[in-house]
Amino acid sequence: MNELETVVGLEVHVELLTQTKLFCGCSAAFGAEPNTQVCAVCLGLPGETLPRLNQQALEFAIKAALALNCSIAGEVSFDRKNYFYADLPKGYQISQFFQPIGTRGYVEIQSAGEIKPIGIHQLHLEEDTGKLLHVGDILSSPFSRVDFNRAGVPLIEIVSEPDLRSAEEARLFLQKLRSILRYLDVSDCKMEEGSMRCDANVSVRPRGSSALGKKTELKNMNSFRSVYKGIEYEVQRQSRLLQEGGEVLPETRHWDEGAELTRAMRSKFLSANYRCFPDPNLPPLLTSRERLNALQEAIPELPDARLERFVREYSLPRYDAEILTATRELADFYENTLAVFPVPKAVSNWTMGELLGLLNEAGQEIGTCKITPTDLGELLKMVQEEMISRNMGKAVLEEMFASGEKPGVIVEKKGLVQISDEGALAEIIARVIDQNPKSVEDYRGGKKKAVGFLVGQVMKETRGKANPQLVNEMLKKQLEV
Amino acid sequence: MNYPDTPAHQLAARVQEKPDLLDQMPGDYAVLCSKSQNLQIFISFEPQAIFQEVSTIKQRLLAGKSLPLAGATVALGDNFCTAGLVTTCASRMLSSYEPPLTARAVDALRVQGSVIIGKANMEEFGLGSTGNSSHYGAAKNPWDPDRTAGCGAAAAAATLVSLALGTDSCGEARQAASYCGVLALKPSYGRISRRGVIEYAPSLTQPGLMARNTRDLVLALEATAGEDPGDPTSLKLLVPGYFSRVHEGRKGKGPLKVALLEDWDAVPTLETEVREAFQAQLDDLPKAGLEVEAVSLPSFQESSLAAAVISAVEAFSNLANYDGVRFGYRAEGPSLQEMYTATRTSGFSSKLKQFITFGALVSSEKYYTSYFVKSQKMRTRIARELESCLEEYDLVLTPTVPFTAPRLERPRVAWQLPDPAHFFTAAANLSGLPALTFPLLSPSGLPVGLQFIARFGDEAALLKAALLLEKKNPLQFPQPGFKDQGGCGR
Ligand SMILES: [Zn+2]
């Protein structure tokens, strides 16, 4: 049998960060007490199902479609997708079936050192469903509760072309998507909170074949890691099946995070007939050229463009630029720090090495960090001007991270200012020379390394505050007299 | 003063002058309605609520408010939501449902001083007008209790109220008015807000207004018309002052030009009673100041078929929220799926279930293009044809329903698709054009309707024509007979 090739397409649902729901005035915030963010409209009460389109959600969706290089539909129309489920209040979901807002776009990923475009089949706007709450798992739960806070929250669904050739590419695509949407400020894309959800269509085929193999639809992957692992597992499973002469069944499979394997949900696709038809309550809305232009202009510099600019403008290594532009917040932080302390590589080193280290350790993100770009810039200035040593600087940064105090305040409070005053050091140096005749003898006898011990003694006397460079010079001068 | 008989516009003027006149109303109604139980006109009727409403209006009048509909009595089809008052849609599904909000059109009537007398019986979920699908038993026709009454109109015809509101999705409000001998107006689509109106076909529905005279209809339209940001299909057109529009002269434009639907008398279901009454009126129209010419509208006869398909698809989806999960009736079942099935099986009448099933069928992948899309194309054709005819004429004229009120014991037309009662009325719903039915009497003394359709937004032309006819045809109502037949109570 020929070598097999992996073919993956993703369907990604992303909740938009609007204040209110897609068709009513209820708050769309995450995490409230169940059923406290509901009204007659999003509960689908009789006579109250008339939707009012949230213009902010529409603009977010258009911005996302533009940023993903999609063509924008000339009119915005909505359709009803009809099915019964307890989390679907109206018995239909308002979605865009016939005319998605965006089509034929692409996203570029870096795969094996190459830039590779991944096609976006479509992007459409729709409302989210409520959430079922079970006691334990769904099958053994004696009853279920429904929380409708999420019902009606705006979602965009992004469907990729089957252009992804590995689990790794799928992960890279998803990360790129998250990065772009976060730059746009249209979603926080938190997979663990469900504001980004991903299903994968996975198949394998003989390399060189252009026909698609039988695919399975993979669900329930709740992190980037599980997307990677789930696809990886599924590819192995399908390849083994084919190599053993078996056949892949077209089915929906659940990724079981604990057992690290996928399980069939149903024996075969239930042919879903959603009986979609245009929603009679939402007449099509024209998207004017002016509105599109205004939205296009409101799109900020996106991660790829910013990365290139960082490399070009600040002469940063590509690696640094990639990390610094991964989120808009971090890139903004970096550039705001540069405004105070314009030494790109130094700021990059401190940001990537020290600051990200502290954030990772604390499980925090830059957005919640107590250190401001101005404060970091001030700190780096002190280090550069040798007011404090590099090591002191790290200690001060930790303190800033914990308390949010300004570096100047911390340095003063702890008496950390470096002693660079020759007068103040001379006395200590004289004492150290007196107390260590052996080392002095060694030095004068040609063991030049002995000076290091003496410098260490001075540092110890000054509790590390002496400027080591200066101590070194002064000691040598004394010893060579 | 005989409260229920007095036209709303006259009553308002008197009550405005002398608010104390309102004091007798709750008592009058308690008596009236106890005398009229048998007609089953109302599903809910609460004298306590009437008393409350009346005292509020009196206070506002005494505080110097000017209320154009002061004391006007209104029957609401029971698919208009009323906060604090059960709204059943004449269905077991909502038999104890109290909505949290009140329909916007109802609020608008109350603001102008009208009193909600009760919730009128109707076909389940307002679907059709010729059957017997109410969970509470059919409302009976005040002209002949063996015949159907449709929604709301019976309360106006029996002079229990001045005004009635019912939904008009394929013509139901106009049909009810035709059966009961009152006027009904279906405004241009979007003219009156649909918020708080429980409907089965959103793209076709408008609240229909019913009254016993044109002036009252004008007042009701002025009160309820207007943009509502909460209804995405609400009209942004300015609402004209209908009263002055209706009364202003034609200013050299000559008589109203009316296009009579050619072959109106070739409709297979047309009853002789209707043919004769309509023909007699046709002969009189020039004297009333209307100039009539027969015009061919070849697509018009397809309208009830197109409306049947479109409204069934919309109903299949629009009534999907009745699933027993969040409100209303629930039948227990061992699983979610079985609970749905049990709830919808026993909560809906068989007529409604057949209709919804038909809607599910014609929206399925297999039939979507050949039925649903085809019907939408037909709809566009019907609308274009009417619109271009109305470029030349002020009004299109047809009978309202091909027959008089069907007999209750033999609802021979109740289960047919397309519903033959929709033959003349559905075109106005499909095109969104405003339409009005004017009551005539057949040679044997049964009510029959004459329908006008006007240009989009031109309700004034309809009301003007109605006023002209009213001058020539003093309207009659069966008030002497009904009091022994009864009319209220669940
Ligand atoms: Zn809501």
Side-chain angles (χ1 to χ4, degrees):
Chain A
M1 185 144 197
N2 292 337
E3 200 190 341
L4 292 173
E5 177 182 53
T6 303
V7 178
V8 177
L10 296 186
E11 288 172 18
V12 186
H13 284 91
V14 175
E15 271 181 8
L16 297 179
L17 271 180
T18 51
Q19 295 286 304
T20 55
K21 293 187 180 180
L22 187 50
F23 296 114
C24 65
C26 290
S27 164
F30 175 81
E33 281 291 301
N35 296 314
T36 53
Q37 294 173 169
V38 293
C39 71
V41 176
C42 57
L43 285 177
L45 295 190
E48 297 295 339
T49 47
L50 293 182
R52 272 163 296 162
L53 178 62
N54 178 340
Q55 292 297 324
Q56 191 187 31
L58 176 61
E59 296 192 343
F60 279 9
I62 293 177
K63 270 166 101 170
L66 287 169
L68 302 181
N69 307 297
C70 289
S71 312
I72 307 297
E75 59 175 29
V76 180
S77 58
F78 290 94
D79 309 295
R80 292 185 180 184
K81 190 172 163 183
N82 297 284
Y83 64 97
F84 283 98
Y85 203 55
D87 64 7
L88 189 68
K90 297 187 291 292
Y92 60 85
Q93 179 194 27
I94 304 181
S95 180
Q96 295 188 297
F97 179 78
F98 291 107
Q99 209 175 26
I101 189 115
T103 48
R104 301 188 311 278
Y106 65 88
V107 163
E108 285 177 345
I109 60 168
Q110 282 258 354
S111 178
E114 299 275 311
I115 290 180
K116 179 175 173 184
I118 304 299
I120 301 291
H121 180 73
Q122 69 175 64
L123 179 152
H124 67 257
L125 183 57
E126 63 187 22
E127 54 179 350
D128 208 345
T129 61
K131 213 171 6 187
L132 290 186
L133 309 167
H134 307 289
V135 182
D137 75 299
I138 183 165
L139 290 177
S140 62
S141 183
F143 55 84
S144 300
R145 296 192 176 98
V146 203
D147 175 9
F148 289 107
N149 283 352
R150 204 180 67 178
V153 167
L155 282 183
I156 48 176
E157 182 178 342
I158 299 159
V159 182
S160 88
E161 298 290 356
D163 289 347
L164 301 159
R165 290 292 169 268
S166 66
E168 179 58 14
E169 284 192 2
R171 177 162 65 182
L172 287 169
F173 171 78
L174 205 55
Q175 281 170 342
K176 179 53 75 64
L177 210 55
R178 176 177 66 168
S179 167
I180 293 173
L181 296 173
R182 284 187 171 177
Y183 262 67
L184 293 172
D185 230 350
V186 301
S187 174
D188 56 15
C189 296
K190 290 182 180 163
M191 286 196 85
E192 59 289 356
E193 284 184 10
S195 64
M196 185 181 219
R197 311 196 273 274
C198 176
D199 298 339
N201 290 310
V202 181
S203 62
V204 294
R205 66 182 173 195
R207 194 172 294 282
S209 160
S210 60
L212 290 172
K214 289 240 172 64
K215 68 177 182 188
T216 55
E217 193 186 0
L218 209 53
K219 287 182 178 291
N220 197 38
M221 299 170 293
N222 300 322
S223 66
F224 287 89
R225 188 176 153 274
S226 57
V227 169
Y228 177 84
K229 291 198 130 185
I231 294 174
E232 191 68 16
Y233 177 89
E234 192 54 21
V235 167
Q236 298 301 329
R237 189 188 70 85
Q238 291 187 13
S239 304
R240 206 162 44 240
L241 259 176
L242 292 184
Q243 271 149 2
E244 287 165 359
E247 213 182 308
V248 174
L249 295 174
E251 61 191 357
T252 300
R253 297 181 70 87
H254 249 217
W255 168 247
D256 184 332
E257 185 77 49
E260 298 212 333
L261 46 79
T262 66
R263 295 181 203 278
M265 274 175 78
R266 311 176 189 125
S267 59
K268 58 184 173 225
F269 274 158
L270 290 171
S271 89
N273 185 346
Y274 291 120
R275 298 183 163 84
C276 293
F277 69 93
D279 192 320
N281 283 327
L282 287 159
L285 207 89
L286 289 178
T287 33
S288 73
R289 225 346 80 204
E290 298 83 73
R291 193 173 189 191
L292 287 186
N293 289 344
L295 288 170
Q296 181 78 63
E297 260 160 46
I299 289 178
E301 187 183 30
L302 293 176
D304 283 345
R306 202 162 192 183
L307 188 155
E308 293 307 324
R309 183 168 62 80
F310 274 24
V311 170
R312 200 174 57 239
E313 205 168 292
Y314 305 133
S315 310
L316 288 180
R318 183 162 286 275
Y319 175 76
D320 288 30
E322 257 171 43
I323 291 180
L324 291 173
T325 57
T327 69
R328 185 175 167 183
E329 288 81 3
L330 187 61
D332 286 348
F333 188 95
Y334 174 76
E335 293 206 282
N336 291 337
T337 309
L338 274 189
V340 180
F341 184 73
V343 186
K345 185 57 185 155
V347 176
S348 167
N349 288 346
W350 278 81
T351 308
M352 287 168 49
E354 312 308 327
L355 186 56
L356 287 186
L358 289 171
L359 286 168
N360 281 343
E361 216 170 286
Q364 269 187 41
E365 298 201 29
I366 191 78
T368 57
C369 182
K370 287 180 183 158
I371 301 174
T372 67
T374 312
D375 290 349
L376 177 61
E378 294 294 340
L379 176 68
L380 299 192
K381 246 191 237 170
M382 288 179 179
V383 173
Q384 192 194 36
E385 287 164 5
E386 296 187 344
M387 233 175 98
I388 55 174
S389 69
R390 210 184 136 75
N391 277 336
M392 281 183 211
K394 288 182 187 174
V396 173
L397 189 75
E398 275 177 42
E399 185 68 31
M400 289 160 71
F401 185 80
S403 68
E405 274 184 309
K406 303 222 161 286
V409 174
I410 295 168
V411 164
E412 194 163 319
K413 200 164 66 184
K414 301 219 157 181
L416 284 178
V417 177
Q418 187 160 267
I419 307 170
S420 301
D421 172 7
E422 291 196 25
L425 287 175
E427 195 191 320
I428 301 167
I429 286 173
R431 194 161 62 238
V432 167
I433 287 176
D434 274 356
Q435 288 166 356
N436 297 283
K438 175 91 172 54
S439 300
V440 173
E441 209 170 296
D442 285 352
Y443 182 86
R444 288 186 175 142
K447 284 190 183 169
K448 300 291 180 198
K449 272 187 183 168
V451 76
F453 175 77
L454 294 169
V455 171
Q457 291 305 304
V458 175
M459 295 307 286
K460 197 173 156 190
E461 288 275 320
T462 60
R463 293 207 190 116
K465 285 189 278 184
N467 179 340
Q469 199 92 36
L470 187 63
V471 171
N472 195 31
E473 279 165 29
M474 286 174 72
L475 263 172
K476 281 182 183 166
K477 216 180 278 173
Q478 288 281 319
L479 292 172
E480 273 155 29
V481 165
Chain B
M1 183 177 69
N2 187 350
Y3 209 104
D5 288 0
T6 316
H9 59 279
Q10 289 173 14
L11 184 73
R14 278 195 239 167
V15 166
Q16 186 80 47
E17 199 110 310
K18 226 179 131 192
D20 285 349
L21 285 173
L22 285 170
D23 294 346
Q24 72 177 92
M25 186 203 272
D28 278 5
Y29 270 97
V31 176
L32 266 178
C33 288
S34 66
K35 278 188 179 173
S36 53
Q37 298 274 335
N38 305 344
L39 288 179
Q40 305 186 130
I41 287 174
F42 285 106
I43 290 175
S44 353
F45 169 78
E46 287 179 27
Q48 194 58 37
I50 299 175
F51 181 76
Q52 280 294 332
E53 296 215 19
V54 166
S55 48
T56 313
I57 294 162
K58 197 175 158 187
Q59 275 167 22
R60 288 166 64 204
L61 288 170
L62 290 173
K65 285 266 183 329
S66 167
L67 304 175
L69 283 171
T73 50
V74 182
L76 297 175
D78 208 13
N79 52 352
F80 285 77
C81 286
T82 42
L85 193 56
V86 175
T87 300
T88 68
C89 288
S91 178
R92 181 180 197 183
M93 198 59 103
L94 291 177
S95 45
S96 55
Y97 178 67
E98 258 187 46
L101 302 162
T102 297
R104 176 140 157 142
V106 177
D107 279 337
L109 286 170
R110 278 193 175 133
V111 164
Q112 306 262 305
S114 41
V115 185
I116 308 305
I117 293 298
K119 308 297 292 288
N121 201 354
M122 55 181 216
E123 296 287 318
E124 187 183 24
F125 280 93
L127 175 71
S129 64
T130 52
N132 189 1
S133 64
S134 170
H135 182 56
Y136 303 100
K140 293 170 187 168
N141 198 307
W143 295 79
D144 176 354
D146 291 336
R147 291 174 185 263
T148 180
C151 60
T159 55
L160 288 171
V161 292
S162 298
L163 299 169
L165 255 61
T167 48
D168 193 310
S169 302
C170 291
E172 289 88 343
R174 282 165 287 156
Q175 291 154 18
S178 173
Y179 300 153
C180 295
V182 297
L183 289 118
L185 171 69
K186 180 205 83 77
S188 310
Y189 185 72
R191 182 63 94 188
I192 301 179
S193 170
R194 291 183 292 123
R195 201 157 22 134
V197 180
I198 306 176
E199 57 197 352
Y200 68 91
S203 81
L204 300 165
T205 304
Q206 264 290 283
L209 307 172
M210 292 168 266
R212 285 194 306 277
N213 65 74
T214 311
R215 298 270 308 261
D216 287 1
L217 211 49
V218 171
L219 284 178
L221 181 62
E222 288 197 326
T224 50
E227 188 186 349
D228 173 12
D231 175 352
T233 59
S234 170
L235 265 187
K236 283 167 188 64
L237 284 179
L238 216 62
V239 175
Y242 292 105
F243 200 76
S244 51
R245 279 293 187 92
V246 171
H247 286 275
E248 79 192 6
R250 292 277 295 156
K251 283 175 195 151
K253 288 186 204 157
L256 280 167
K257 286 182 73 185
V258 178
L260 169 68
L261 177 71
E262 199 177 74
D263 295 333
W264 63 272
D265 51 355
V267 180
T269 52
L270 192 73
E271 277 177 9
T272 315
E273 298 271 307
V274 176
R275 183 197 312 273
E276 288 176 2
F278 188 74
Q279 186 61 56
Q281 189 58 49
L282 272 184
D283 300 338
D284 277 351
L285 286 179
K287 279 181 263 169
L290 298 158
E291 195 180 283
V292 184
E293 272 173 33
V295 171
S296 159
L297 296 167
S299 303
F300 192 94
Q301 58 175 333
E302 314 270 19
S303 49
S304 58
L305 177 59
V309 173
I310 292 167
S311 64
V313 170
E314 292 186 7
F316 147 74
S317 163
N318 233 53
L319 302 182
N321 55 340
Y322 304 98
D323 57 7
V325 174
R326 285 145 298 141
F327 56 83
Y329 170 76
R330 176 195 289 180
E332 296 302 327
S335 71
L336 181 66
Q337 205 57 45
E338 287 156 294
M339 186 278 279
Y340 283 152
T341 309
T343 298
R344 290 171 68 86
T345 301
S346 51
F348 286 145
S349 71
S350 73
K351 177 186 178 186
L352 195 60
K353 280 180 285 190
Q354 288 179 48
F355 189 65
I356 289 172
T357 308
F358 175 66
L361 187 69
V362 290
S363 59
S364 65
E365 231 169 298
K366 192 170 169 195
Y367 296 109
Y368 187 80
T369 310
S370 53
Y371 281 77
F372 185 67
V373 174
K374 202 170 170 190
S375 298
Q376 294 287 14
K377 286 182 177 160
M378 216 186 268
R379 174 182 196 166
T380 307
R381 225 167 27 240
I382 293 162
R384 296 278 169 281
E385 202 175 276
L386 276 171
E387 284 159 6
S388 76
C389 172
L390 286 165
E391 280 171 21
E392 216 172 310
Y393 296 88
D394 295 306
L395 299 165
V396 169
L397 172 64
T398 74
T400 306
V401 189
F403 36 84
T404 53
R407 293 193 174 276
L408 281 169
E409 77 276 18
R410 283 188 294 124
R412 61 184 167 94
V413 288
W415 314 107
Q416 290 180 33
L417 277 177
D419 188 332
H422 299 344
F423 188 91
F424 294 114
T425 50
N429 301 88
L430 289 169
S431 59
L433 300 177
L436 173 143
T437 176
F438 184 84
L440 309 172
L441 274 189
S442 78
S444 66
L446 278 173
V448 166
L450 172 152
Q451 175 183 243
F452 291 117
I453 303 170
R455 289 178 202 111
F456 194 80
D458 197 6
E459 288 83 359
L462 299 171
L463 295 163
K464 186 171 296 218
L467 212 58
L468 292 172
L469 291 193
E470 200 173 291
K471 276 185 198 154
K472 297 279 167 192
N473 299 266
L475 299 176
Q476 300 173 48
F477 300 99
Q479 59 249 54
F482 94 90
K483 279 173 186 153
D484 305 323
Q485 312 279 2
C488 307
R490 198 155 22 144

